Amino acid sequence: MLLVLETAIPAFAKRSPPPVHQAAEIETLVNRAAEVLEEQGARAFGAFRRKGGGWRYGDVYLFVFDLRGIVLFNAARPDREGRDLLNERDADGKQFHRDLVEVVTTSGSGWVDYMFPKPGQAAPSVKWSYVCATHVDGVEALIGAGVYVD
């Protein structure tokens, strides 16, 4: 599994990736969620949002946006939904949404590191997110989840 994780990390990554066991857990979650999205479309968002339903736990939550950068779903931050965040920068100035889209459009899936606040916090933390290509009601999109490593 480590080999898969290493090959899925883009050249622009700055930080050490999450531990292999956490990475495998996130990849499994996101890949299963992508299958559900392909079958159910946006109707799946209700289940994805519920805590304790298997899709959201601890600091782990799903997010979905189209390949133009419009947030379609964010379980932890519904205030971001409907917003164009393609050019949003993290605390280090990184346009991480662009990086997430690039990974999906060039590789189909992969990992991106960036700074982002944990749910309920304001200060940014190091986060690694795994994303994969999917469709939501016929719209090309990506779905992801991440792990905070600090």
Side-chain angles (χ1 to χ4, degrees):
M1 188 64 186
L2 182 58
L3 179 60
V4 171
L5 179 62
E6 287 178 353
T7 59
I9 296 172
F12 46 77
K14 296 187 219 175
R15 299 167 184 92
S16 296
V20 173
H21 72 281
Q22 284 182 311
E25 178 183 311
I26 296 298
E27 288 181 19
T28 299
L29 174 74
V30 170
N31 291 332
R32 281 187 330 147
E35 291 174 6
V36 171
L37 269 183
E38 292 283 344
E39 293 172 9
Q40 298 181 16
R43 293 187 320 271
F45 292 164
F48 291 168
R49 194 175 309 276
R50 278 193 304 277
K51 290 182 180 177
W55 299 110
R56 184 176 177 193
Y57 51 91
D59 291 334
V60 175
Y61 59 90
L62 294 166
F63 57 85
V64 179
F65 52 93
D66 69 22
L67 299 186
R68 297 172 302 144
I70 307 296
V71 178
L72 304 175
F73 172 78
N74 187 307
R77 301 274 311 271
D79 59 307
R80 297 170 68 81
E81 294 173 7
R83 295 176 52 198
D84 178 352
L85 297 178
L86 188 63
N87 295 313
E88 180 181 35
R89 295 181 183 272
D90 72 2
D92 292 337
K94 183 175 187 176
Q95 290 180 304
F96 61 96
H97 284 93
R98 285 187 179 275
D99 293 347
L100 294 166
V101 169
E102 180 181 338
V103 165
V104 166
T105 57
T106 60
S107 302
S109 64
W111 288 88
V112 173
D113 69 309
Y114 54 99
M115 300 293 293
F116 199 78
K118 293 179 182 179
Q121 295 185 6
S125 297
V126 176
K127 183 175 185 179
W128 275 89
S129 287
Y130 173 78
V131 291
C132 74
T134 191
H135 290 86
V136 179
D137 301 328
V139 175
E140 285 186 306
L142 63 80
I143 184 166
V147 59
Y148 294 91
V149 294
D150 63 343

